[in-house]
Amino acid sequence: MTTPTTDVATEPVANDRPATAERPARRVAAPRPSSRPNGQWKIDGTAPLNGNEEWKQVDDGLAVRERIENIYAQGGFASIDPTDLHGRFRVWGLYTQRKPGIDGGRTATLEPHELEDEYFMLRVRIDGGQLTTEQLRVIANISIDFGRDTADLTDRQNVQLHWVRVEDMPEIWRRLEAVGLGTTEACGDVPRVVLGSPVAGISVEELIDPTPQIDEITSRFIGDPTLSNLPRKFKTAITGHPSQDVVHEINDVAFVAVEHPELGIGYDLWVGGGLSTAPRLGERLGVFVAPDQVSEVWHGVAQIFRDYGFRRLRNKARLKFLLAEWGTEKFRQVLQDEYLGHALPDGPAAPKPTTTGDHVGVHRQKDGRFYIGVTPIVGRVSGPTLAKLADLLEAHGSTRLRTTPHQKLVLLDVPEADVEPLIVELNELGLEARPSLIRRGTIACTGIEFCKLAIVETKVNATKAVQDLEDRLRGFDLPHPISLHVNGCPNSCARIQTADIGLKGQLVTIDGEQVPGYQVHLGGGLANQNRDEAGLGRTVRGLKVAADGIADYTERVVKRFLEDRDTATDETFAQWAHRAEEEALQ
């Protein structure tokens, strides 16, 4: 059901000019000129201009690990200092989760201590998405022993667990770190997990294996106290694959493999991407970065953010706002002159992808074995499922797998004779190598079940919608996967502005009553084989969907697309959604 209502849970989007599939919207507004300083350390000095900046300077978030192990784990939840709880804990991947039974209408009216439970979400950091079956089994057993079997695959290649107690953190860290995993800087105003191609080092098509560059960045700079107090979070992506499989356009800094006509294989540098309530697509600086320069350049961009990022207002503290003020030419000049000490050569843009970047299905590796990309529904798995998966892979001769930026798993090194038997057993675990195009394209954030910011349920609603749509659209020939992204609030953890159909959680009014629902975004997407450039989705004024109406709306709009699309040009959903009349999108 749709209804014309006021958007009660969003902020104005700064780059709200119409975007098309061919002409993407890129700009957010830089902070308006003000007589007050913006908190840029190199310009205004380091005096903190708000409470958040003050506690970060009083005691670094990295320091709270010792207190967790030696004080809070013994004293329990009640012993935790409030500033540690709501601030520094994040640096170690810990957020308090939502107390059960609090409806979305109260999200914006209650204080954090009223919303939060005495349990934590724990984010396990998985740089490049690279896992062994031994590591997977450790995560699975932590879920079983300490997390009530919970486990979600995120669209940042991490695994999130829930129901974690502070008392159990020392043992959890001991188990993770014994197999080379951790939670250091998994959250907070720090360098977050480094996204990497899920098929790094194994794909026949890749231009370069980015694993050495990812390893150098993480080994040198994760846990570095000179970078542990950034204005806000700092997201990184690196890929050597021509499918551009790491959503590089919405990261603060990204490196995309490219072949330079004189200098060989290296990377195209992007900066300033990010979504949330003021979405902005990243931009190329137009430089070529050699593989042995990646960590140096990454460090330079991170330091620019630290030194020049806006700190006074947190809603203007992402790198995208600095880029909006400076532009790419100044950004490149500052990077070269102040942080690198040398110029970077001009470089070409990477060509348009020719294949999809989610790696679902069966693919031959460069060594002759196979990798299999599988799809759980909306990233939801469990400790027991992950434990069974580890056993299953080892039984078929594999000890490696990868998480992906699309809430999928890629299973590596499968002998050809084991491919089909393994697929049958994976289906029994709810991990499909040949999913429907709806299941394949659907992702969802954590939602109201656990998240204190959420207004609407996501995982359950999206799962039910996928199952319904698989029945309703059976027999219809979709020309490509339809990406359906479901988010529980305006913050876009599920990337709603870059989906064919993006649903942003809010309260909607139906028959005079406010109920949970979603605002609809249509026709967004990142660069892929069907579109030359990334672009943000279109919103239609008043177009809202009730929380239980996802399947009804998606069925209706997809069938209208199939009726109206221009088959002569192989028109995509995104192209159609940007040209269609509003009536067709209702």
Side-chain angles (χ1 to χ4, degrees):
M1 179 183 296
T2 61
T3 179
T5 69
T6 301
D7 183 347
V8 297
T10 64
E11 300 176 14
V13 175
N15 59 336
D16 205 24
R17 67 181 177 86
T20 70
E22 300 305 323
R23 182 179 176 85
R26 287 191 179 276
R27 297 289 180 184
V28 298
R32 294 174 181 172
S34 170
S35 59
R36 301 178 64 185
N38 276 318
Q40 295 171 278
W41 280 2
K42 272 205 169 185
I43 296 173
D44 305 314
T46 59
L49 300 181
N50 57 54
N52 196 78
E53 288 297 309
E54 183 174 357
W55 68 251
K56 288 196 291 179
Q57 288 195 27
V58 167
D59 191 24
D60 191 277
L62 292 170
V64 82
R65 168 77 178 258
E66 183 178 359
R67 291 195 289 279
I68 293 173
E69 293 189 304
N70 298 326
I71 299 174
Y72 304 143
Q74 281 72 47
F77 189 88
S79 70
I80 303 172
D81 173 82
T83 304
D84 284 348
L85 180 66
H86 299 123
R88 300 183 185 97
F89 268 44
R90 300 172 189 171
V91 177
W92 291 95
L94 289 160
Y95 280 99
T96 50
Q97 68 186 38
R98 189 186 191 94
K99 189 179 297 181
I102 300 177
D103 66 72
R106 302 175 68 194
T107 297
T109 63
L110 297 179
E111 296 296 321
H113 70 275
E114 297 174 297
L115 281 167
E116 70 192 5
D117 209 343
E118 295 187 359
Y119 296 92
F120 293 89
M121 178 275 286
L122 177 66
R123 184 175 294 158
V124 180
R125 180 180 183 128
I126 307 172
D127 291 285
Q130 300 195 16
L131 284 173
T132 66
T133 49
E134 179 187 25
Q135 291 171 326
L136 183 66
R137 191 173 285 109
V138 166
I139 295 172
N141 287 331
I142 290 171
S143 166
I144 293 166
D145 294 344
F146 305 113
R148 301 189 187 180
D149 294 348
T150 56
D152 286 334
L153 305 174
T154 76
D155 59 10
R156 297 287 309 171
Q157 291 186 288
N158 297 310
V159 175
Q160 289 184 177
L161 311 176
H162 295 280
W163 300 108
V164 171
R165 304 185 313 151
V166 71
E167 292 91 334
D168 297 320
M169 282 310 304
E171 174 62 12
I172 291 172
W173 277 323
R174 186 194 68 77
R175 293 191 192 184
L176 289 172
E177 291 166 1
V179 293
L181 293 174
T183 68
T184 309
E185 297 184 329
C187 310
D189 298 349
V190 295
R192 302 283 186 93
V193 66
V194 179
L195 296 187
S197 171
V199 294
I202 65 161
S203 171
V204 174
E205 295 87 9
E206 78 173 353
L207 296 174
I208 186 173
D209 179 358
T211 304
Q213 286 78 59
I214 295 171
D215 289 347
E216 186 172 4
I217 290 171
T218 55
S219 63
R220 288 182 61 188
F221 300 119
I222 301 310
D224 178 354
T226 69
L227 295 177
S228 59
N229 180 2
L230 301 177
R232 284 198 70 182
K233 57 191 171 186
F234 184 70
K235 296 182 176 182
T236 304
I238 307 178
T239 183
H241 199 271
S243 68
Q244 302 175 14
D245 50 4
V246 291
V247 297
H248 65 278
E249 303 100 324
I250 56 173
N251 281 264
D252 295 282
V253 60
F255 300 84
V256 180
V258 66
E259 184 170 6
H260 191 285
E262 287 88 34
L263 301 175
I265 304 295
Y267 296 94
D268 185 27
L269 176 61
W270 290 63
V271 298
L275 294 179
S276 193
T277 55
R280 185 188 201 284
L281 298 171
E283 293 191 59
R284 300 179 57 241
L285 289 194
V287 300
F288 177 81
V289 182
D292 62 359
Q293 294 179 310
V294 167
S295 66
E296 175 193 22
V297 171
W298 180 93
H299 191 214
V301 176
Q303 290 177 98
I304 287 176
F305 184 41
R306 178 194 65 196
D307 297 341
Y308 288 103
F310 306 124
R311 292 175 182 260
R312 180 168 64 88
L313 300 174
R314 281 188 67 77
N315 65 352
K316 299 290 185 182
R318 291 294 299 277
L319 186 64
K320 61 188 177 182
F321 293 100
L322 180 65
L323 185 65
E325 179 179 273
W326 280 9
T328 55
E329 289 186 15
K330 179 177 179 177
F331 197 104
R332 176 178 176 175
Q333 203 65 50
V334 172
L335 174 64
Q336 294 174 153
D337 294 351
E338 295 187 30
Y339 294 90
L340 300 182
H342 61 84
L344 294 168
D346 292 341
K352 173 184 172 180
T354 58
T355 59
T356 186
D358 66 5
H359 303 296
V360 170
V362 178
H363 309 266
R364 186 180 293 275
Q365 298 179 181
K366 62 176 62 174
D367 64 2
R369 291 178 292 179
F370 289 79
Y371 66 87
I372 305 173
V374 296
T375 305
I377 297 185
V378 297
R380 175 136 290 177
V381 284
S382 70
T385 295
L386 297 180
K388 291 174 185 175
L389 176 60
D391 293 342
L392 190 56
L393 284 176
E394 290 175 354
H396 287 275
S398 172
T399 60
R400 296 195 298 164
L401 69 156
R402 306 274 169 83
T403 55
T404 85
H406 303 280
Q407 297 183 339
K408 311 289 191 291
L409 289 168
V410 177
L411 317 175
L412 312 187
D413 306 331
V414 180
E416 184 170 7
D418 288 83
V419 168
E420 293 303 326
L422 178 56
I423 287 174
V424 172
E425 293 173 282
L426 290 167
N427 284 340
E428 295 174 1
L429 293 180
L431 304 174
E432 296 194 9
R434 299 182 179 105
S436 70
L437 295 183
I438 289 292
R439 183 178 300 225
R440 180 174 178 172
T442 302
I443 68 173
C445 73
T446 299
I448 203 170
E449 181 181 10
F450 295 118
C451 179
K452 300 192 300 292
L453 300 177
I455 301 165
V456 185
E457 173 55 54
T458 55
K459 297 283 190 184
V460 172
N461 291 346
T463 297
K464 177 68 163 55
V466 167
Q467 292 167 338
D468 288 349
L469 288 165
E470 286 177 332
D471 287 334
R472 298 184 191 188
L473 297 177
R474 187 173 287 117
F476 287 85
D477 186 17
L478 300 183
H480 57 79
I482 302 292
S483 54
L484 172 64
H485 293 190
V486 184
N487 211 77
C489 77
N491 288 309
S492 200
C493 294
R495 309 196 298 254
I496 49 111
Q497 298 99 332
T498 59
D500 287 314
I501 304 171
L503 302 178
K504 177 173 68 180
Q506 61 180 71
L507 298 180
V508 302
T509 301
I510 295 178
D511 297 331
E513 180 182 357
Q514 278 198 330
V515 297
Y518 309 93
Q519 183 188 48
V520 181
H521 295 246
L522 293 166
L526 303 178
N528 58 52
Q529 73 274 25
N530 295 316
R531 64 187 302 156
D532 294 330
E533 290 186 292
L536 302 178
R538 167 189 183 182
T539 57
V540 176
R541 184 173 299 276
L543 180 55
K544 311 290 192 292
V545 176
D548 60 359
I550 297 176
D552 291 340
Y553 176 74
T554 302
E555 177 189 10
R556 186 162 61 248
V557 75
V558 168
K559 287 181 176 178
R560 182 63 182 266
F561 158 63
L562 294 175
E563 291 173 6
D564 292 355
R565 72 182 291 256
D566 184 350
T567 56
T569 61
D570 201 22
E571 186 175 36
T572 66
F573 182 91
Q575 291 167 334
W576 170 79
H578 278 285
R579 74 162 176 85
E581 297 294 330
E582 291 189 1
E583 169 274 328
L585 303 176
Q586 297 294 328

